[in-house]
Amino acid sequence: MQEKWIEINNQKVYRKIDRIDDKIQSMLKKVQTGNINDLSDDQKTECKKRKLINEGKMTVYKVSKGEMFTLDIERLETELTPEMIANGSWREKKFKSYDMDALGIPPDAGHLHPLLKVRTEYRQIFLEMGFTEMPTNNFIESSFWNFDALFQPQQHPARDAHDTFFISEPCDADIDMIPKEYLQRVKKVHSQGGYGSQGHKYDWKIEESTKNILRTHTTAVSARMLYELAQQKEFKPVKYFSIDRVFRNETTDSTHLAEFHQIEGLVADRGLTLGNLMGVINEFFKKLGLTKLRFKPTYNPYTEPSMEIFSFHDGLKKWVEVGNSGVFRPEMLLPMGLPEDVSVIAWGLSLERPTMIKYKIQDIRTLIGPRVDLQMVYNNPLCRVEKAAI
Ligand code: FB9
């Protein structure tokens, strides 16, 4: 009826034409034979709707000879040689025009590991704050300097094999390398107390203190440096720092390895207080762009009081632990021979945590260790510790 082929009158159907011109069939035949361009626009729309045809774009370039067209490739010289100048042949030669925008070939050069780049930044911050770097070139340490000198009792859990790597050969440190009188004072303060302290009251054993280990913190180096300071004829205030590897027998995971780089700063002077400690920590982290710090009381075996350091993470909108700190105990300082009115404030953090944050590294095992892709070292951009939130 729509095509006016039939009409219905008094419920009777009447044919109105003798033959049908089936437009759909002719349209389909054109599609079938590929004569798409014979289709009307309506038919094309109909076919696209029925997904019988797709419409695509084809760009055709018409190429013709330009005025510089030639069949013989004229060799353009790319460099002017001393010989050309000497024999004058440069006169007959054509030179490729110099592309002043061409980038130079990047020279082959070494690349510093991200950790070492961040270490340099932290070292710079300590140096500009007037700190002197401590010599940390001994990964192997005696239990005496790593634990006993810090008044850490011999039965402390951190001293067993679950947390500490013990050296089998040589198993023991040379006892003559530990100053005898000092060793006796350490033994006494552990076992009986002294200097106003009741001590840890246990049977302190020399054999425990000569066991060689991989140092568990760079505070062992701080202890050695403070002992040397105490031997000076006259006490003078010092500011020391260290950034180096420490080893702990921990289960490894995406954020923990059996070793990490500890960053440690300390200030020794007469009459230092917790306020001085908070002040120097605020100054240190301000240079890293962190100005919103909070301090939370905590416990360390060798510092009292001790504080965890937190910084507000603008990105995560939460407080993040950025380090630990405290005032070294008198039971550590006085056996060394430091004057009674000298106190030592110190703080520590790791190098890996800020490095992973800076370089957006999720798994510490892609930063250090046997599975590191050296291309990562090559690709890493320069490290600048700017006013960036952690
Ligand atoms: O580094 C840590 N966090 C951190 C540091 C920096 C940062 O971003 C930079 C500022 C831009 C982001 C995070 N922490 C200490 C806190 C936590 O990551 C913690 O879970 C892991 N800690 C390590 C020890 O874990 C076995 C970090 C490491 C650490 C902890 C304590 C000390 C040193 C390193 C210390 C100390 C100390 C205390 C008193 C006296 C002397 C030294």
Side-chain angles (χ1 to χ4, degrees), residues 112 115-136 241-244 261 263-264 284 287-288 351 385:
L112 282 174
L115 272 180
L116 302 183
K117 291 190 272 194
V118 177
R119 183 180 67 177
T120 303
E121 293 300 322
Y122 277 80
R123 176 178 285 132
Q124 188 52 38
I125 286 171
F126 275 114
L127 293 174
E128 70 189 32
M129 290 176 70
F131 284 66
T132 305
E133 188 156 14
M134 294 186 266
T136 54
F241 79 95
S242 59
I243 307 176
D244 212 332
H261 288 73
I263 299 170
E264 180 162 329
F284 176 78
K287 291 176 179 294
L288 291 164
L351 188 62
V385 176

PDB file of all heavy atoms in Angstrom, residues 112 115-136 241-244 261 263-264 284 287-288 351 385:
ATOM      1  N   LEU A 112      74.196   7.699  37.631  1.00  0.00           N
ATOM      2  CA  LEU A 112      74.162   7.376  39.064  1.00  0.00           C
ATOM      3  C   LEU A 112      72.854   6.698  39.405  1.00  0.00           C
ATOM      4  O   LEU A 112      71.802   7.034  38.864  1.00  0.00           O
ATOM      5  CB  LEU A 112      74.297   8.679  39.883  1.00  0.00           C
ATOM      6  CG  LEU A 112      75.716   9.255  39.986  1.00  0.00           C
ATOM      7  CD1 LEU A 112      75.678  10.601  40.686  1.00  0.00           C
ATOM      8  CD2 LEU A 112      76.631   8.281  40.718  1.00  0.00           C
ATOM      9  N   LEU A 115      69.319   5.966  44.270  1.00  0.00           N
ATOM     10  CA  LEU A 115      69.646   6.051  45.717  1.00  0.00           C
ATOM     11  C   LEU A 115      70.832   6.977  45.938  1.00  0.00           C
ATOM     12  O   LEU A 115      70.860   7.771  46.887  1.00  0.00           O
ATOM     13  CB  LEU A 115      69.994   4.657  46.251  1.00  0.00           C
ATOM     14  CG  LEU A 115      68.862   3.782  46.771  1.00  0.00           C
ATOM     15  CD1 LEU A 115      69.431   2.458  47.251  1.00  0.00           C
ATOM     16  CD2 LEU A 115      68.078   4.469  47.898  1.00  0.00           C
ATOM     17  N   LEU A 116      71.811   6.873  45.048  1.00  0.00           N
ATOM     18  CA  LEU A 116      73.029   7.685  45.234  1.00  0.00           C
ATOM     19  C   LEU A 116      72.746   9.143  44.930  1.00  0.00           C
ATOM     20  O   LEU A 116      73.327  10.051  45.521  1.00  0.00           O
ATOM     21  CB  LEU A 116      74.158   7.136  44.350  1.00  0.00           C
ATOM     22  CG  LEU A 116      74.522   5.667  44.617  1.00  0.00           C
ATOM     23  CD1 LEU A 116      75.707   5.246  43.746  1.00  0.00           C
ATOM     24  CD2 LEU A 116      74.853   5.450  46.088  1.00  0.00           C
ATOM     25  N   LYS A 117      71.774   9.374  44.023  1.00  0.00           N
ATOM     26  CA  LYS A 117      71.432  10.779  43.721  1.00  0.00           C
ATOM     27  C   LYS A 117      70.708  11.396  44.921  1.00  0.00           C
ATOM     28  O   LYS A 117      70.968  12.528  45.316  1.00  0.00           O
ATOM     29  CB  LYS A 117      70.564  10.854  42.464  1.00  0.00           C
ATOM     30  CG  LYS A 117      71.326  10.489  41.193  1.00  0.00           C
ATOM     31  CD  LYS A 117      70.555  10.795  39.926  1.00  0.00           C
ATOM     32  CE  LYS A 117      69.681   9.661  39.501  1.00  0.00           C
ATOM     33  NZ  LYS A 117      69.202   9.820  38.117  1.00  0.00           N
ATOM     34  N   VAL A 118      69.803  10.601  45.516  1.00  0.00           N
ATOM     35  CA  VAL A 118      69.077  11.131  46.688  1.00  0.00           C
ATOM     36  C   VAL A 118      70.057  11.271  47.865  1.00  0.00           C
ATOM     37  O   VAL A 118      69.996  12.252  48.619  1.00  0.00           O
ATOM     38  CB  VAL A 118      67.896  10.217  47.060  1.00  0.00           C
ATOM     39  CG1 VAL A 118      67.184  10.724  48.309  1.00  0.00           C
ATOM     40  CG2 VAL A 118      66.910  10.130  45.893  1.00  0.00           C
ATOM     41  N   ARG A 119      71.005  10.321  47.961  1.00  0.00           N
ATOM     42  CA  ARG A 119      72.004  10.421  49.044  1.00  0.00           C
ATOM     43  C   ARG A 119      72.774  11.730  48.928  1.00  0.00           C
ATOM     44  O   ARG A 119      73.014  12.421  49.928  1.00  0.00           O
ATOM     45  CB  ARG A 119      72.970   9.228  48.979  1.00  0.00           C
ATOM     46  CG  ARG A 119      73.989   9.231  50.114  1.00  0.00           C
ATOM     47  CD  ARG A 119      74.942   8.058  50.046  1.00  0.00           C
ATOM     48  NE  ARG A 119      75.828   8.144  48.875  1.00  0.00           N
ATOM     49  CZ  ARG A 119      76.795   7.249  48.645  1.00  0.00           C
ATOM     50  NH1 ARG A 119      76.951   6.211  49.446  1.00  0.00           N
ATOM     51  NH2 ARG A 119      77.585   7.374  47.585  1.00  0.00           N
ATOM     52  N   THR A 120      73.121  12.100  47.706  1.00  0.00           N
ATOM     53  CA  THR A 120      73.862  13.356  47.493  1.00  0.00           C
ATOM     54  C   THR A 120      73.041  14.546  47.970  1.00  0.00           C
ATOM     55  O   THR A 120      73.552  15.470  48.601  1.00  0.00           O
ATOM     56  CB  THR A 120      74.186  13.502  45.994  1.00  0.00           C
ATOM     57  OG1 THR A 120      74.922  12.363  45.581  1.00  0.00           O
ATOM     58  CG2 THR A 120      74.987  14.763  45.726  1.00  0.00           C
ATOM     59  N   GLU A 121      71.726  14.501  47.693  1.00  0.00           N
ATOM     60  CA  GLU A 121      70.873  15.621  48.126  1.00  0.00           C
ATOM     61  C   GLU A 121      70.837  15.726  49.649  1.00  0.00           C
ATOM     62  O   GLU A 121      70.952  16.807  50.220  1.00  0.00           O
ATOM     63  CB  GLU A 121      69.452  15.407  47.588  1.00  0.00           C
ATOM     64  CG  GLU A 121      69.342  15.503  46.087  1.00  0.00           C
ATOM     65  CD  GLU A 121      69.775  16.874  45.560  1.00  0.00           C
ATOM     66  OE1 GLU A 121      69.479  17.880  46.218  1.00  0.00           O
ATOM     67  OE2 GLU A 121      70.419  16.910  44.510  1.00  0.00           O
ATOM     68  N   TYR A 122      70.698  14.541  50.310  1.00  0.00           N
ATOM     69  CA  TYR A 122      70.645  14.569  51.786  1.00  0.00           C
ATOM     70  C   TYR A 122      71.996  14.990  52.349  1.00  0.00           C
ATOM     71  O   TYR A 122      72.074  15.752  53.307  1.00  0.00           O
ATOM     72  CB  TYR A 122      70.231  13.196  52.320  1.00  0.00           C
ATOM     73  CG  TYR A 122      68.726  12.994  52.298  1.00  0.00           C
ATOM     74  CD1 TYR A 122      68.077  12.634  51.112  1.00  0.00           C
ATOM     75  CD2 TYR A 122      67.950  13.196  53.434  1.00  0.00           C
ATOM     76  CE1 TYR A 122      66.703  12.483  51.079  1.00  0.00           C
ATOM     77  CE2 TYR A 122      66.573  13.031  53.407  1.00  0.00           C
ATOM     78  CZ  TYR A 122      65.961  12.679  52.219  1.00  0.00           C
ATOM     79  OH  TYR A 122      64.599  12.538  52.176  1.00  0.00           O
ATOM     80  N   ARG A 123      73.069  14.513  51.719  1.00  0.00           N
ATOM     81  CA  ARG A 123      74.415  14.895  52.195  1.00  0.00           C
ATOM     82  C   ARG A 123      74.574  16.409  52.102  1.00  0.00           C
ATOM     83  O   ARG A 123      75.043  17.058  53.041  1.00  0.00           O
ATOM     84  CB  ARG A 123      75.474  14.180  51.355  1.00  0.00           C
ATOM     85  CG  ARG A 123      76.895  14.567  51.703  1.00  0.00           C
ATOM     86  CD  ARG A 123      77.906  13.817  50.882  1.00  0.00           C
ATOM     87  NE  ARG A 123      78.066  12.434  51.322  1.00  0.00           N
ATOM     88  CZ  ARG A 123      78.066  11.385  50.488  1.00  0.00           C
ATOM     89  NH1 ARG A 123      77.879  11.583  49.191  1.00  0.00           N
ATOM     90  NH2 ARG A 123      78.230  10.156  50.940  1.00  0.00           N
ATOM     91  N   GLN A 124      74.066  16.993  51.001  1.00  0.00           N
ATOM     92  CA  GLN A 124      74.167  18.442  50.796  1.00  0.00           C
ATOM     93  C   GLN A 124      73.415  19.186  51.903  1.00  0.00           C
ATOM     94  O   GLN A 124      73.902  20.185  52.447  1.00  0.00           O
ATOM     95  CB  GLN A 124      73.586  18.791  49.417  1.00  0.00           C
ATOM     96  CG  GLN A 124      73.784  20.218  48.998  1.00  0.00           C
ATOM     97  CD  GLN A 124      75.227  20.664  49.108  1.00  0.00           C
ATOM     98  OE1 GLN A 124      76.163  19.914  48.834  1.00  0.00           O
ATOM     99  NE2 GLN A 124      75.417  21.907  49.544  1.00  0.00           N
ATOM    100  N   ILE A 125      72.251  18.653  52.261  1.00  0.00           N
ATOM    101  CA  ILE A 125      71.456  19.314  53.315  1.00  0.00           C
ATOM    102  C   ILE A 125      72.208  19.299  54.643  1.00  0.00           C
ATOM    103  O   ILE A 125      72.329  20.320  55.331  1.00  0.00           O
ATOM    104  CB  ILE A 125      70.081  18.615  53.451  1.00  0.00           C
ATOM    105  CG1 ILE A 125      69.205  19.012  52.256  1.00  0.00           C
ATOM    106  CG2 ILE A 125      69.387  18.970  54.771  1.00  0.00           C
ATOM    107  CD1 ILE A 125      67.923  18.247  52.129  1.00  0.00           C
ATOM    108  N   PHE A 126      72.787  18.131  54.990  1.00  0.00           N
ATOM    109  CA  PHE A 126      73.563  18.068  56.243  1.00  0.00           C
ATOM    110  C   PHE A 126      74.754  19.032  56.192  1.00  0.00           C
ATOM    111  O   PHE A 126      75.025  19.770  57.149  1.00  0.00           O
ATOM    112  CB  PHE A 126      74.080  16.640  56.468  1.00  0.00           C
ATOM    113  CG  PHE A 126      73.089  15.727  57.151  1.00  0.00           C
ATOM    114  CD1 PHE A 126      72.553  14.635  56.491  1.00  0.00           C
ATOM    115  CD2 PHE A 126      72.702  15.959  58.475  1.00  0.00           C
ATOM    116  CE1 PHE A 126      71.654  13.770  57.119  1.00  0.00           C
ATOM    117  CE2 PHE A 126      71.815  15.102  59.123  1.00  0.00           C
ATOM    118  CZ  PHE A 126      71.282  14.014  58.436  1.00  0.00           C
ATOM    119  N   LEU A 127      75.450  19.042  55.053  1.00  0.00           N
ATOM    120  CA  LEU A 127      76.662  19.890  54.967  1.00  0.00           C
ATOM    121  C   LEU A 127      76.306  21.358  55.123  1.00  0.00           C
ATOM    122  O   LEU A 127      76.963  22.118  55.822  1.00  0.00           O
ATOM    123  CB  LEU A 127      77.378  19.627  53.634  1.00  0.00           C
ATOM    124  CG  LEU A 127      77.993  18.222  53.499  1.00  0.00           C
ATOM    125  CD1 LEU A 127      78.550  18.023  52.091  1.00  0.00           C
ATOM    126  CD2 LEU A 127      79.070  17.982  54.554  1.00  0.00           C
ATOM    127  N   GLU A 128      75.161  21.749  54.484  1.00  0.00           N
ATOM    128  CA  GLU A 128      74.828  23.184  54.605  1.00  0.00           C
ATOM    129  C   GLU A 128      74.315  23.513  56.002  1.00  0.00           C
ATOM    130  O   GLU A 128      74.267  24.670  56.397  1.00  0.00           O
ATOM    131  CB  GLU A 128      73.839  23.600  53.527  1.00  0.00           C
ATOM    132  CG  GLU A 128      72.448  23.088  53.645  1.00  0.00           C
ATOM    133  CD  GLU A 128      71.616  23.397  52.379  1.00  0.00           C
ATOM    134  OE1 GLU A 128      72.170  23.427  51.268  1.00  0.00           O
ATOM    135  OE2 GLU A 128      70.407  23.608  52.542  1.00  0.00           O
ATOM    136  N   MET A 129      73.969  22.466  56.778  1.00  0.00           N
ATOM    137  CA  MET A 129      73.583  22.717  58.175  1.00  0.00           C
ATOM    138  C   MET A 129      74.786  22.621  59.102  1.00  0.00           C
ATOM    139  O   MET A 129      74.657  22.668  60.321  1.00  0.00           O
ATOM    140  CB  MET A 129      72.501  21.710  58.603  1.00  0.00           C
ATOM    141  CG  MET A 129      71.143  21.942  57.929  1.00  0.00           C
ATOM    142  SD  MET A 129      69.920  20.676  58.370  1.00  0.00           S
ATOM    143  CE  MET A 129      69.593  21.072  60.081  1.00  0.00           C
ATOM    144  N   GLY A 130      75.967  22.439  58.513  1.00  0.00           N
ATOM    145  CA  GLY A 130      77.200  22.442  59.310  1.00  0.00           C
ATOM    146  C   GLY A 130      77.552  21.114  59.922  1.00  0.00           C
ATOM    147  O   GLY A 130      78.333  21.040  60.868  1.00  0.00           O
ATOM    148  N   PHE A 131      76.982  20.014  59.395  1.00  0.00           N
ATOM    149  CA  PHE A 131      77.283  18.683  59.921  1.00  0.00           C
ATOM    150  C   PHE A 131      78.504  18.107  59.199  1.00  0.00           C
ATOM    151  O   PHE A 131      78.751  18.413  58.032  1.00  0.00           O
ATOM    152  CB  PHE A 131      76.087  17.748  59.735  1.00  0.00           C
ATOM    153  CG  PHE A 131      74.966  17.983  60.724  1.00  0.00           C
ATOM    154  CD1 PHE A 131      74.245  19.183  60.693  1.00  0.00           C
ATOM    155  CD2 PHE A 131      74.633  17.046  61.687  1.00  0.00           C
ATOM    156  CE1 PHE A 131      73.217  19.424  61.602  1.00  0.00           C
ATOM    157  CE2 PHE A 131      73.600  17.268  62.596  1.00  0.00           C
ATOM    158  CZ  PHE A 131      72.898  18.467  62.557  1.00  0.00           C
ATOM    159  N   THR A 132      79.242  17.256  59.907  1.00  0.00           N
ATOM    160  CA  THR A 132      80.414  16.580  59.340  1.00  0.00           C
ATOM    161  C   THR A 132      80.088  15.102  59.146  1.00  0.00           C
ATOM    162  O   THR A 132      79.450  14.492  60.025  1.00  0.00           O
ATOM    163  CB  THR A 132      81.608  16.711  60.324  1.00  0.00           C
ATOM    164  OG1 THR A 132      81.807  18.094  60.596  1.00  0.00           O
ATOM    165  CG2 THR A 132      82.875  16.092  59.743  1.00  0.00           C
ATOM    166  N   GLU A 133      80.488  14.559  58.005  1.00  0.00           N
ATOM    167  CA  GLU A 133      80.142  13.156  57.717  1.00  0.00           C
ATOM    168  C   GLU A 133      81.036  12.202  58.501  1.00  0.00           C
ATOM    169  O   GLU A 133      82.247  12.412  58.612  1.00  0.00           O
ATOM    170  CB  GLU A 133      80.251  12.870  56.219  1.00  0.00           C
ATOM    171  CG  GLU A 133      79.718  11.482  55.841  1.00  0.00           C
ATOM    172  CD  GLU A 133      79.286  11.384  54.398  1.00  0.00           C
ATOM    173  OE1 GLU A 133      79.619  12.281  53.589  1.00  0.00           O
ATOM    174  OE2 GLU A 133      78.591  10.395  54.071  1.00  0.00           O
ATOM    175  N   MET A 134      80.408  11.166  59.049  1.00  0.00           N
ATOM    176  CA  MET A 134      81.145  10.161  59.823  1.00  0.00           C
ATOM    177  C   MET A 134      81.686   9.090  58.871  1.00  0.00           C
ATOM    178  O   MET A 134      81.061   8.819  57.840  1.00  0.00           O
ATOM    179  CB  MET A 134      80.219   9.519  60.864  1.00  0.00           C
ATOM    180  CG  MET A 134      79.757  10.471  61.944  1.00  0.00           C
ATOM    181  SD  MET A 134      78.819   9.619  63.246  1.00  0.00           S
ATOM    182  CE  MET A 134      77.142   9.857  62.663  1.00  0.00           C
ATOM    183  N   PRO A 135      82.806   8.447  59.226  1.00  0.00           N
ATOM    184  CA  PRO A 135      83.335   7.361  58.374  1.00  0.00           C
ATOM    185  C   PRO A 135      82.538   6.075  58.618  1.00  0.00           C
ATOM    186  O   PRO A 135      82.543   5.536  59.738  1.00  0.00           O
ATOM    187  CB  PRO A 135      84.780   7.215  58.850  1.00  0.00           C
ATOM    188  CG  PRO A 135      84.764   7.688  60.262  1.00  0.00           C
ATOM    189  CD  PRO A 135      83.670   8.695  60.393  1.00  0.00           C
ATOM    190  N   THR A 136      81.842   5.614  57.590  1.00  0.00           N
ATOM    191  CA  THR A 136      80.943   4.461  57.795  1.00  0.00           C
ATOM    192  C   THR A 136      81.398   3.251  56.984  1.00  0.00           C
ATOM    193  O   THR A 136      80.604   2.377  56.671  1.00  0.00           O
ATOM    194  CB  THR A 136      79.520   4.835  57.335  1.00  0.00           C
ATOM    195  OG1 THR A 136      79.626   5.306  55.968  1.00  0.00           O
ATOM    196  CG2 THR A 136      78.928   5.936  58.196  1.00  0.00           C
ATOM    197  N   PHE A 241      76.944  13.438  60.818  1.00  0.00           N
ATOM    198  CA  PHE A 241      75.882  12.704  60.112  1.00  0.00           C
ATOM    199  C   PHE A 241      76.490  11.502  59.388  1.00  0.00           C
ATOM    200  O   PHE A 241      77.705  11.471  59.145  1.00  0.00           O
ATOM    201  CB  PHE A 241      75.144  13.618  59.118  1.00  0.00           C
ATOM    202  CG  PHE A 241      75.870  13.859  57.819  1.00  0.00           C
ATOM    203  CD1 PHE A 241      75.602  13.086  56.698  1.00  0.00           C
ATOM    204  CD2 PHE A 241      76.838  14.862  57.706  1.00  0.00           C
ATOM    205  CE1 PHE A 241      76.261  13.316  55.481  1.00  0.00           C
ATOM    206  CE2 PHE A 241      77.511  15.092  56.509  1.00  0.00           C
ATOM    207  CZ  PHE A 241      77.222  14.324  55.389  1.00  0.00           C
ATOM    208  N   SER A 242      75.623  10.589  59.043  1.00  0.00           N
ATOM    209  CA  SER A 242      76.057   9.424  58.247  1.00  0.00           C
ATOM    210  C   SER A 242      74.898   8.981  57.362  1.00  0.00           C
ATOM    211  O   SER A 242      73.721   9.150  57.718  1.00  0.00           O
ATOM    212  CB  SER A 242      76.479   8.268  59.164  1.00  0.00           C
ATOM    213  OG  SER A 242      75.390   7.892  59.994  1.00  0.00           O
ATOM    214  N   ILE A 243      75.252   8.438  56.195  1.00  0.00           N
ATOM    215  CA  ILE A 243      74.249   7.857  55.280  1.00  0.00           C
ATOM    216  C   ILE A 243      74.904   6.600  54.713  1.00  0.00           C
ATOM    217  O   ILE A 243      75.840   6.697  53.900  1.00  0.00           O
ATOM    218  CB  ILE A 243      73.908   8.809  54.101  1.00  0.00           C
ATOM    219  CG1 ILE A 243      73.507  10.195  54.615  1.00  0.00           C
ATOM    220  CG2 ILE A 243      72.798   8.195  53.232  1.00  0.00           C
ATOM    221  CD1 ILE A 243      73.258  11.213  53.510  1.00  0.00           C
ATOM    222  N   ASP A 244      74.501   5.445  55.175  1.00  0.00           N
ATOM    223  CA  ASP A 244      75.136   4.233  54.650  1.00  0.00           C
ATOM    224  C   ASP A 244      74.294   2.994  54.944  1.00  0.00           C
ATOM    225  O   ASP A 244      73.307   3.060  55.667  1.00  0.00           O
ATOM    226  CB  ASP A 244      76.545   4.085  55.236  1.00  0.00           C
ATOM    227  CG  ASP A 244      77.479   3.415  54.219  1.00  0.00           C
ATOM    228  OD1 ASP A 244      76.970   2.639  53.381  1.00  0.00           O
ATOM    229  OD2 ASP A 244      78.689   3.679  54.241  1.00  0.00           O
ATOM    230  N   HIS A 261      69.565   1.813  53.560  1.00  0.00           N
ATOM    231  CA  HIS A 261      70.507   2.892  53.884  1.00  0.00           C
ATOM    232  C   HIS A 261      69.907   3.726  55.003  1.00  0.00           C
ATOM    233  O   HIS A 261      68.800   4.254  54.852  1.00  0.00           O
ATOM    234  CB  HIS A 261      70.743   3.787  52.668  1.00  0.00           C
ATOM    235  CG  HIS A 261      71.561   3.140  51.593  1.00  0.00           C
ATOM    236  ND1 HIS A 261      71.056   2.148  50.778  1.00  0.00           N
ATOM    237  CD2 HIS A 261      72.861   3.327  51.212  1.00  0.00           C
ATOM    238  CE1 HIS A 261      72.002   1.764  49.927  1.00  0.00           C
ATOM    239  NE2 HIS A 261      73.106   2.454  50.163  1.00  0.00           N
ATOM    240  N   ILE A 263      69.946   7.015  57.311  1.00  0.00           N
ATOM    241  CA  ILE A 263      70.421   8.405  57.397  1.00  0.00           C
ATOM    242  C   ILE A 263      70.368   8.777  58.871  1.00  0.00           C
ATOM    243  O   ILE A 263      69.352   8.522  59.527  1.00  0.00           O
ATOM    244  CB  ILE A 263      69.502   9.351  56.600  1.00  0.00           C
ATOM    245  CG1 ILE A 263      69.484   8.969  55.113  1.00  0.00           C
ATOM    246  CG2 ILE A 263      69.918  10.812  56.773  1.00  0.00           C
ATOM    247  CD1 ILE A 263      68.415   9.703  54.316  1.00  0.00           C
ATOM    248  N   GLU A 264      71.464   9.288  59.422  1.00  0.00           N
ATOM    249  CA  GLU A 264      71.461   9.621  60.857  1.00  0.00           C
ATOM    250  C   GLU A 264      72.179  10.942  61.084  1.00  0.00           C
ATOM    251  O   GLU A 264      73.204  11.222  60.468  1.00  0.00           O
ATOM    252  CB  GLU A 264      72.154   8.508  61.652  1.00  0.00           C
ATOM    253  CG  GLU A 264      72.205   8.768  63.147  1.00  0.00           C
ATOM    254  CD  GLU A 264      72.491   7.494  63.951  1.00  0.00           C
ATOM    255  OE1 GLU A 264      72.088   6.403  63.503  1.00  0.00           O
ATOM    256  OE2 GLU A 264      73.120   7.586  65.009  1.00  0.00           O
ATOM    257  N   PHE A 284      65.816  20.380  59.391  1.00  0.00           N
ATOM    258  CA  PHE A 284      66.259  19.358  58.413  1.00  0.00           C
ATOM    259  C   PHE A 284      65.138  19.049  57.422  1.00  0.00           C
ATOM    260  O   PHE A 284      65.334  19.115  56.197  1.00  0.00           O
ATOM    261  CB  PHE A 284      66.670  18.100  59.177  1.00  0.00           C
ATOM    262  CG  PHE A 284      67.061  16.938  58.310  1.00  0.00           C
ATOM    263  CD1 PHE A 284      68.323  16.890  57.710  1.00  0.00           C
ATOM    264  CD2 PHE A 284      66.180  15.889  58.091  1.00  0.00           C
ATOM    265  CE1 PHE A 284      68.691  15.813  56.915  1.00  0.00           C
ATOM    266  CE2 PHE A 284      66.533  14.801  57.292  1.00  0.00           C
ATOM    267  CZ  PHE A 284      67.795  14.769  56.707  1.00  0.00           C
ATOM    268  N   LYS A 287      64.087  21.676  54.826  1.00  0.00           N
ATOM    269  CA  LYS A 287      64.918  21.714  53.611  1.00  0.00           C
ATOM    270  C   LYS A 287      64.495  20.647  52.606  1.00  0.00           C
ATOM    271  O   LYS A 287      64.935  20.632  51.470  1.00  0.00           O
ATOM    272  CB  LYS A 287      66.392  21.558  53.971  1.00  0.00           C
ATOM    273  CG  LYS A 287      66.956  22.775  54.712  1.00  0.00           C
ATOM    274  CD  LYS A 287      68.379  22.538  55.128  1.00  0.00           C
ATOM    275  CE  LYS A 287      68.950  23.747  55.854  1.00  0.00           C
ATOM    276  NZ  LYS A 287      69.091  24.937  54.997  1.00  0.00           N
ATOM    277  N   LEU A 288      63.640  19.709  53.075  1.00  0.00           N
ATOM    278  CA  LEU A 288      63.109  18.691  52.158  1.00  0.00           C
ATOM    279  C   LEU A 288      61.709  19.066  51.710  1.00  0.00           C
ATOM    280  O   LEU A 288      61.021  18.298  51.059  1.00  0.00           O
ATOM    281  CB  LEU A 288      63.069  17.336  52.880  1.00  0.00           C
ATOM    282  CG  LEU A 288      64.428  16.713  53.189  1.00  0.00           C
ATOM    283  CD1 LEU A 288      64.292  15.620  54.220  1.00  0.00           C
ATOM    284  CD2 LEU A 288      65.070  16.185  51.926  1.00  0.00           C
ATOM    285  N   LEU A 351      66.938   5.983  53.477  1.00  0.00           N
ATOM    286  CA  LEU A 351      67.153   6.624  52.170  1.00  0.00           C
ATOM    287  C   LEU A 351      66.182   6.054  51.156  1.00  0.00           C
ATOM    288  O   LEU A 351      65.737   6.736  50.230  1.00  0.00           O
ATOM    289  CB  LEU A 351      68.592   6.357  51.720  1.00  0.00           C
ATOM    290  CG  LEU A 351      69.107   7.063  50.481  1.00  0.00           C
ATOM    291  CD1 LEU A 351      69.100   8.570  50.664  1.00  0.00           C
ATOM    292  CD2 LEU A 351      70.513   6.577  50.130  1.00  0.00           C
ATOM    293  N   VAL A 385      65.947  17.777  45.287  1.00  0.00           N
ATOM    294  CA  VAL A 385      65.028  17.728  46.425  1.00  0.00           C
ATOM    295  C   VAL A 385      64.417  19.103  46.554  1.00  0.00           C
ATOM    296  O   VAL A 385      65.004  20.018  47.111  1.00  0.00           O
ATOM    297  CB  VAL A 385      65.785  17.360  47.720  1.00  0.00           C
ATOM    298  CG1 VAL A 385      64.835  17.421  48.892  1.00  0.00           C
ATOM    299  CG2 VAL A 385      66.380  15.968  47.575  1.00  0.00           C
TER     300      VAL A 385
END
